[in-house]
Each structure stands twice: as structure tokens, then as C-alpha cells.
Amino acid sequence: MTDSAPLLSVVMANYNGATHIGEAVRSVLGQTEAALELIVSDDCSSDDSLMCAKVAAKGDPRLVIVTHEARTGPAGARNRALKLARGRWIAVVDNDDVIEPERLERLVASAEADGADIAADNLLVFYESESRPSHPHLPAASAHWVDAAAYARSNILLGGGTQLGYLKPVFRRSNMNSALYDESLTIGEDSDLVLRLLVAGARMRVYPELGYRYRKHASSISHRLNAPAIDALLGALDRLAPGSDAPLRRALERQRGALLNARAFSELVAALKARDFAAAWRVSVRRPGALLLLKDPILARLPRRS
């Protein structure tokens, strides 16, 4: 890395993001910390999102666009950007989200002052529809350290609560070494990368400020929650080595149980849709926890009381 290398490399994966990418690009290039590069890694988009990104940048040379010949998903797109990144710090911003102007300057300064390798702030969750008000993702709290066990405990699939895996950290590049996203994952790739870094010894600190605006779409993780996706998560879990960290081992066991319940739930829903009640019964007997996951879809269909 040369002396002219930027402080920050901001990685933005893109696939057909024309609707929102312009706003996302402007929020990155408008940061108070100007020593950055924005690498937009396109995953074979068929819309005009790259032109929207260029128009939003208004010729700003800090915008770098990377294209590829075949789709790989968000993990692969981010990995292509990471291999080109020159910054001492890495930030990930999704192509439909927005960051506050001082966010990156504040996060990096706080992380360097505190000796953190991974730094995250709170999310302000806002909705495509105006029917729901925006709200912070994390409850009000002071800055605090997060170890591997605490991070794993917070990310139990379909477990409710405020999962830390939704946060969008900045990473100290020197601590990442050759760490990349697991391209076998179609969900949970962000939290998998953070957890691997924590297991390897990285130090993570979470700050209470609302610096990242997270757009919540009508579609949810349930639309991508299928057996192959869950099997990939189970495989990633198997590749973690908790060593002598007993709290981490227990947290990973809880994660495994939740994943197995989620996999059974997907089988249960498929059987019910096919009206194969015998198959649904077999799934319920094998994994009773899957039945509990039916609660939310059922409640969502019940009429609300006025």
C-alpha cells in the first residue's frame, strides 16, 4: 500500500439497483472523510444501475466500477471489490441504503482511539412503505465490546431480538489478512465474516450513534430461506473452530439447533402447501421446534383488532 492510498475503501455490491443506488453513492461520496474510494462491484445487472451510479458521482474519480461476466451473488461481488481495495479500513454499504455524512469519519476515529479492529454503529431502520415508522435497530446503550460468543448468541436464525449481524461494520484491513466472504452463502454472509474474524482474535466495538440508514423492503429473509441456503449456513458453522471457548461453543450449538429447526420449517411449509399432511406430521415429530416457527405466519394472517 502506497502513501497515496485512501484511508477507506467502501465496498458496494450491486445487482439491478437502479432505483436506489444513486442515493447510496451520493451518501458515500458526500462523507466528511474525503480520503476514500467507493468500489461498486456489479453482479451482471440488466438495468441501468451503473449509469445511475456514474450520474450520481458527477465525475468524482473516487468512484471505481468493477464488472464481471457471470453472476455470483453479493458475497462474490464484494470479494471482487475487496481484492482491489487499497484502504486501511474497509466499509460495506448496500446499494439501497444511506449513510449519514459524518459516519465513516466518526467510526474510524472511534475505532482507532479505542483499539478496535471492527467498529459498528446503530442502524436506523426505515421502510419502503410509509405505513411503519422508522426506528433504531439496537436499544439505547453506551459503547461496548462484543466478543465472538456474544456475537454468535445474538444471531440465532429466526430467534427474534436485535441481531448484531444486521449491523454494517468497518474493518481494519490489516486485521482481515486474506479474509473474504464465503461465496457458498446466499444469506448470513455478513455475520459469517464478522464471526470468523472475531474467532481469529479481532476486537469488535459497537457504538450507539445512528449512522447507517437501513432500508427494509416488503420482501424479507423468509423469501430466501430455503433448504440449500440453510445447508450452506450449516456448512459454514461446521468450519468454525471455537477451541477452548466454552461460551462460544454453546452459542454455536444454539445456532445449529435454530438452523435445523428452520430447515425443518421450510420442509413443513412445503408439505402443508402440497397438502401432504403425512409428510408434515413426520417433520413435526422429527423437529418439534419447527412447529413454533409457524406462529408468526399464522398470526400475520389473523385479522387485527381495532
Side-chain angles (χ1 to χ4, degrees):
M1 188 176 295
T2 65
D3 292 338
S4 61
L7 173 67
L8 279 148
S9 292
V10 182
V11 170
M12 183 179 294
N14 176 66
Y15 176 69
N16 287 351
T19 303
H20 302 297
I21 194 171
E23 186 180 11
V25 166
R26 286 191 293 273
S27 76
V28 172
L29 297 180
Q31 290 292 294
T32 55
E33 175 54 73
L36 60 80
E37 60 182 357
L38 169 58
I39 307 175
V40 173
S41 181
D42 189 65
D43 202 26
C44 296
S45 293
S46 58
D47 67 358
D48 62 347
S49 49
L50 292 185
M51 180 55 66
C52 292
K54 292 176 182 177
V55 169
K58 296 181 179 179
D60 193 321
R62 294 177 297 167
L63 173 66
V64 178
I65 291 179
V66 181
T67 59
H68 195 58
E69 295 178 355
R71 282 202 69 195
T72 59
R78 291 186 189 125
N79 282 342
R80 290 192 291 277
L82 284 175
K83 291 173 183 176
L84 296 175
R86 300 177 298 131
R88 298 203 310 273
W89 288 87
I90 305 293
V92 177
V93 176
D94 288 345
N95 67 345
D96 55 353
D97 293 337
V98 181
I99 56 176
E100 298 298 332
E102 75 291 345
R103 179 187 187 245
L104 295 179
E105 181 179 22
R106 172 178 48 77
L107 263 185
V108 169
S110 297
E112 291 188 335
D114 292 336
D117 306 302
I118 305 170
D121 50 7
N122 205 348
L123 302 174
L124 181 67
V125 181
F126 69 104
Y127 296 83
E128 287 274 61
S129 167
E130 296 181 1
S131 61
R132 296 185 62 182
S134 59
H135 60 86
H137 177 64
L138 300 176
S142 58
H144 59 281
W145 294 99
V146 177
D147 63 15
Y151 189 81
R153 281 195 300 271
S154 82
N155 293 318
I156 304 300
L157 186 64
L158 302 180
T162 51
Q163 297 184 358
L164 296 177
Y166 281 101
L167 302 184
K168 296 292 183 180
V170 297
F171 306 89
R172 192 187 297 270
R173 182 64 195 228
S174 61
N175 220 80
M176 293 183 72
N177 297 319
S178 59
L180 294 172
Y181 286 89
D182 185 337
E183 297 186 24
S184 72
L185 301 179
T186 56
I187 59 174
E189 67 276 5
D190 295 300
S191 57
D192 170 74
L193 175 61
V194 173
L195 183 55
R196 282 190 281 120
L197 291 172
L198 291 174
V199 171
R203 303 176 74 229
M204 179 175 182
R205 193 157 174 83
V206 175
Y207 299 91
E209 290 82 7
L210 288 165
Y212 192 103
R213 293 175 56 85
Y214 177 81
R215 190 185 305 272
K216 193 83 167 180
H217 296 277
S219 60
S220 67
I221 191 174
S222 61
H223 290 80
R224 296 176 288 140
L225 192 59
N226 50 50
I230 296 170
D231 287 342
L233 287 170
L234 286 165
L237 203 61
D238 288 341
R239 290 190 287 274
L240 287 170
S244 59
D245 189 335
L248 175 59
R249 186 180 300 105
R250 288 192 294 270
L252 296 181
E253 289 171 356
R254 282 189 61 199
Q255 280 198 356
R256 170 170 286 280
L259 287 170
L260 291 173
N261 283 339
R263 196 186 194 289
F265 172 70
S266 68
E267 297 172 9
L268 179 59
V269 170
L272 291 173
K273 287 182 177 179
R275 304 186 70 81
D276 187 346
F277 299 114
W281 172 256
R282 289 193 295 271
V283 172
S284 301
V285 170
R286 188 178 80 247
R287 295 293 305 186
L291 285 172
L292 297 176
L293 298 178
L294 278 176
K295 172 176 61 69
D296 289 339
I298 291 173
L299 290 176
R301 296 180 187 281
L302 294 177
R304 295 184 180 180
R305 295 180 179 179
S306 57

